[in-house]
Amino acid sequence: MFGVANIGTALGPFVGGGFTEGPGWRWIFWLMVPLTLLSLLIALVYVPDSRDTSAPRELDLLGCALIVCSLAALTLAVERGDAWGWHSARTLGSFAVAVAAGGLFLVRERRARHPLVDLRLFRNVPYVLVTGMGSLTNMGYGVTVFLATLYLQDVRGLSPLLAGTVFLAPALLVALSGPLGARLARHMRATAVMALAGAVAGTGMFALAGVSAWWLYVPVFAWCGLGLGLGWTFSSVATQQVVAPARAGEASGVLLTFLVTLGAIALAGTAAAISAMTPRRPPEEAYDAILRLGGVVIAAAAVAVLAVRHRLVRLGRVPSLSMRADDLAGRSGEKGRRP
C-alpha cells in the first residue's frame, strides 16, 4: 500500500511538469476527478465496513473547534508573516490566537468526558519518538521537493518536464521505502527504524546542498528520497507497533494531524525564509542554507531518538532495539528451563 502511495507522491513533480508544459497546470485538477471516482468505486467494492459498536457516539465538538482554530491561526501566521511583517499586529495576533486556542484545547481534553484526544497517549515515550521523527522527515520531504523544484528550474534552467524527470530517481527510492520498512520491522524495533531513516534523510539533505555535478546530484537526491520516504511512511506503521490495539486508531489520527499540519507549516516557513534571504544572497545559497539546516535538525533528532531509546532500555522500561536480541534471549531462557 505504501509503495503505491509513495509512487504517487514522488511522481507528482514529473506529472506536474508535463501538465505545465502541456495543457497547463490547472488540468491536474481535472485528472483528479476520474482518479477519485475510481478510488471510491474500488473502496465500495473491496473495502469492508467496520465500526466499534461499544465506542461512545459523543463527539467533542468544542475540542474539535479549538484545535482547528489553533492550527488555522498558526498556519496563517507562518504563511502570511513575511507579507504582513513578523512584528505586525496581524501576525502577532494570529500567533496569540494559536497559543490561546491550543492551551484551551489541552484544558478541554483533560476535562472532557469523551475527549477528542486522550492526552495520556503522550505518556508513551516510543510513540512520541516515532511521531516526532515521522513529522520531521515529512517536513523534510516537503521542503526538499519544494527546494529541488526551484533549484532545478531557477538555477539549473531546466524546463518543468525535464526537472520532473530528475525526480524519477528519488521517486523510485521513495516507492521502495515502504517495502523496505516492512522488512526492517522484522529485525528492528520501530524507533530504531525511524532513527535509521532520520540518519539517511539528514545526511542526504545536508549532502544535497553541496552537490553541483549531475553525476552526483541524482544519486544523492535518490539517497535523500529513500531516507525521507522511509521516515514519513514507516511512521504510520510504527505507531501501530508501539501502542495498544485499542488506541491504534487514535494514535494514527494524531500522527496524521501532525504530519499534515507541520508539513504545511514547514513549506510556508520555507517560502518565508527564501523571501527574507534572497534580497541579500543568491537564491541558490538560500536553498542550500535551508537544506543544510534541515539535514542537521533531522540527523540530530535521529541521534536523540536512539539516545532516549537506549536510556529506556537500560531502565528496563522498553525492550531492546533488536528483535533478534529478544529471540536469542527467549531461546536462552528456554534452554535454561530444560532439565
Side-chain angles (χ1 to χ4, degrees):
M1 179 183 68
F2 280 114
V4 176
N6 290 352
I7 292 174
T9 302
L11 288 181
F14 175 73
V15 177
F19 274 102
T20 300
E21 288 199 7
W25 63 268
R26 292 176 178 83
W27 278 83
I28 192 67
F29 298 105
W30 292 109
L31 176 63
M32 296 302 296
V33 175
L35 294 178
T36 301
L37 293 176
L38 178 62
S39 300
L40 290 174
L41 179 62
I42 294 175
L44 288 174
V45 174
Y46 293 103
V47 179
D49 185 22
S50 62
R51 65 181 64 187
D52 185 1
T53 56
S54 63
R57 296 298 179 223
E58 298 181 23
L59 180 62
D60 183 14
L61 294 177
L62 178 57
C64 184
L66 288 171
I67 191 60
V68 168
C69 180
S70 176
L71 295 177
L74 178 60
T75 305
L76 178 65
V78 174
E79 197 275 331
R80 300 298 299 169
D82 188 58
W84 290 344
W86 294 103
H87 299 290
S88 68
R90 284 186 290 183
T91 303
L92 295 177
S94 297
F95 278 122
V97 170
V99 173
L104 291 174
F105 171 76
L106 295 178
V107 174
R108 168 64 182 175
E109 297 310 284
R110 292 177 63 90
R111 298 181 179 181
R113 181 179 179 184
H114 300 294
L116 189 68
V117 178
D118 189 342
L119 298 181
R120 291 177 297 179
L121 179 66
F122 296 99
R123 298 177 185 175
N124 185 333
V125 178
Y127 173 78
V128 173
L129 295 177
V130 166
T131 301
M133 196 72 250
S135 299
L136 282 176
T137 51
N138 184 62
M139 294 166 69
Y141 182 83
V143 169
T144 301
V145 169
F146 177 59
L147 292 178
T149 303
L150 296 178
Y151 171 77
L152 293 173
Q153 296 186 54
D154 296 344
V155 178
R156 289 284 187 174
L158 302 184
S159 66
L161 180 59
L162 189 55
T165 304
V166 177
F167 278 83
L168 292 178
L172 176 62
L173 272 297
V174 170
L176 293 176
S177 64
L180 175 62
R183 288 183 176 274
L184 290 175
R186 301 173 187 172
H187 308 285
M188 302 168 62
R189 297 291 176 186
T191 45
V193 177
M194 294 300 297
L196 175 63
V200 174
T203 55
M205 289 180 66
F206 192 88
L208 192 64
V211 172
S212 58
W214 276 119
W215 66 271
L216 191 56
Y217 185 89
V218 174
V220 171
F221 195 13
W223 173 262
C224 188
L226 174 64
L228 293 170
L230 178 62
W232 71 263
T233 57
F234 188 75
S235 60
S236 299
V237 178
T239 54
Q240 308 305 296
Q241 297 179 355
V242 297
V243 299
R247 309 199 67 180
E250 179 186 16
S252 179
V254 172
L255 170 69
L256 183 61
T257 301
F258 275 102
L259 293 180
V260 174
T261 304
L262 294 181
I265 291 175
L267 286 176
T270 299
I274 292 174
S275 299
M277 289 189 290
T278 46
R280 300 188 301 271
R281 61 175 70 182
E284 183 178 0
E285 292 186 9
Y287 305 156
D288 291 344
I290 296 172
L291 282 174
R292 289 192 183 98
L293 176 61
V296 169
V297 170
I298 293 178
V303 174
V305 167
L306 283 181
V308 173
R309 192 62 164 75
H310 180 68
R311 177 63 176 172
L312 294 176
V313 170
R314 295 192 63 180
L315 294 175
R317 295 178 57 183
V318 295
S320 61
L321 288 172
S322 172
M323 295 288 194
R324 187 178 297 275
D326 283 359
D327 294 340
L328 292 176
R331 292 173 185 174
S332 299
E334 291 177 1
K335 293 179 179 179
R337 287 191 298 269
R338 289 176 182 173

